[in-house]
Amino acid sequence: MLLFILKRLAQVVPVIFGVTLVVFLIMQMVPGDPAIIMAGEGASTETVEQLREDLGLNEPLHVQYFSYIGNILQGSLGNSLKNNQPVLDEILIRLPITMELAFFSILITIVLGLTAGIISAVKPYSVSDISVMVVALLGISLPSFWLGLLLMYTFSIKLQWLPVAGWDSFAHIILPAITLGAGGAAIVARMTRSSMLEVIGQDYVRTARAKGLKEHTIIYKHALRNALIPVITVVGLQFGSLLGGTVIVESVFAINGLGRMIVDAIRTRDIPMVQGGVLVASLVFVFVNLLVDVMYKVFNKRIDLN
Amino acid sequence: MNTLLSSKKPILKVSNLKQYFIVKREALFQPKQVVKAVDGISFDLYPGETLSIVGESGCGKSTTGRSILHLDEPTEGEILYKDVSLTEMSKKELRNIRGDIQVIFQDPFASLNPRRTIRQMLDEAMAIQKVLPPKQREARMLELMQNVGLRPEYLERYPHEFSGGQRQRIGIARALAVNPKVIICDEAVSALDVSIQAQILNLLKRLQNDFDLTFLFISHDLSIVKHISDRVMVMYLGKIVEISDKASLFKNPLHPYTKALLSAIPVIDQTIKRERILLKGDVPSPLNPPTGCRFHTRCPFATDLCRDEEPLLRELESGHLVACHFAEKLSAI
């Protein structure tokens, strides 16, 4: 197990190289000159040229890239082009907010998804099953920016139960977390349902019935634990799209998280900020994947991680 | 044997058991279709005997087993276990009596929960049926492992660490753990290699002697049936066509279907010449079974009577029942 974790950690290095390279090249290809944006619309050519020189933008691409990597290895993500503050400081302020949002979203994904999936699978093709699956279909189909606005309109503006936007109290977390977690919950629900139905049809569930076990015990102790394995995969993958989703949800609900930071940085061509933000988001995703693989081992004795 | 059986009281009495399944409609306005998997069968199971159910796939033999266990609720009919009706029991009463009737399934890979150790399986079975207080279970588990020929240290292992034959032994140990009186073996050896089949069959026979078990042995393999049974019941399309003690059935089959089945048993000795009766066509769909005798579409002796009137199961010789209008005439052939 330990050997497996170490191996996986070693794999992080090439992944990070790839991520930085891709983001670096994309930012080079995006139209718009950061120096012009920084200097402002009416700035003179000399000012812009001076800025370019100061920022190192006139160096050849590979020199720029390797000096960036060199800085990362020294623990620096560079300074923001916008306010010249260290990128890392900004990320350390923003990351906890996004992680909090992601945590509650994934919680909603798991709790809501599993419950709905189990309800569906216990009585397949019943009214409860069909209604749950219709809601799940809606959950998958609704885009999060629309769902977010809809929830905001209903619960904040009409009913005035919850705050509209911002990030001050627990009440602020509820709507964004639901918005972000809904799609995942729907996918998890459908996955749980099909996985449960498959397991319930197995002979060992029949054996458990023939033993005289209570239906409750059969569902939770025998069927669910075996049905969870594919569900864990889906939850792990869901976390990736969830990180992507924070970009939209944070913008809709005006939350100053990492996602919104990256969007703002892209808009102002703040290259170090974008690179730093994406790098940290990728690291989080890589570690979540590692966690998922370790969970497999815990839930499925047949998987040999090495 | 027959006199012996008739002097005993049946441990399990199945009367007019019907198990219908509704098939999902393929088109919106199509009427719902009903598969009559088991269509009104009656038989007795006597304590200590092995009664085999044979027949082609789809004839309802496994469904019969599952209905007796109430894994599927029977559509109609009555199942008496020691004179108590299983069909009328509440769920709780049924759970308590489940310990008495156990099951061993065909596929040893599917019938064991992959996430539980052998110890957990055996322990759970004993705990539910309150076979023994927790302190005495350990000794009982070791005894069970020994009974089925597995090493005691295997208790801590998971099912995937065993071979097919070993898993089937685990399945048997699990069934035995609750001290059952009746075990339904649903194709219990069909998934195993022939050499392992023999081991498991001999194990079952030994356990039957040691623990005074009654077996309902469901199989499509006539060689195995011949080896293990006391009595044999032949099913075709949800009906019993013939039921008899083993010797009489194999020596003098009365139903044309049984004759055809028996002629299909492969013989190793090439010098023995025998006539194979080849049946034409497939088994008709249980969605729409033939009228009259269900076998008439494939029976070489079928007449108009067979097409119109369903033959009843009747006792032709002592303990030898057959459902064929012309059984007397055919027995001479």
Side-chain angles (χ1 to χ4, degrees), chain A residues 125 202-204 206-207 209-214 217 221-222 225-226 229 298-302, chain B residues 24 66 71 95 98 102-103 105 110-116 121 124-125 128-129 158 160 174:
Chain A
Y125 307 109
Q202 293 282 339
D203 274 346
Y204 61 79
R206 282 204 195 95
T207 321
R209 276 211 184 101
K211 268 188 202 174
L213 276 180
K214 286 184 185 154
T217 322
K221 271 181 87 176
H222 288 252
R225 285 196 198 171
N226 282 294
I229 295 160
V298 178
F299 274 87
N300 189 349
K301 310 286 186 222
R302 271 176 298 184
Chain B
K24 264 186 91 182
R66 284 187 199 170
L71 291 176
R95 274 210 301 274
R98 279 194 187 282
Q102 280 296 303
V103 57
F105 286 109
S111 57
L112 302 172
N113 188 334
R115 297 207 38 244
R116 321 211 90 195
M121 285 178 209
E124 185 183 55
I128 307 158
Q129 293 297 337
Y158 288 92
H160 70 271
R174 191 205 53 72

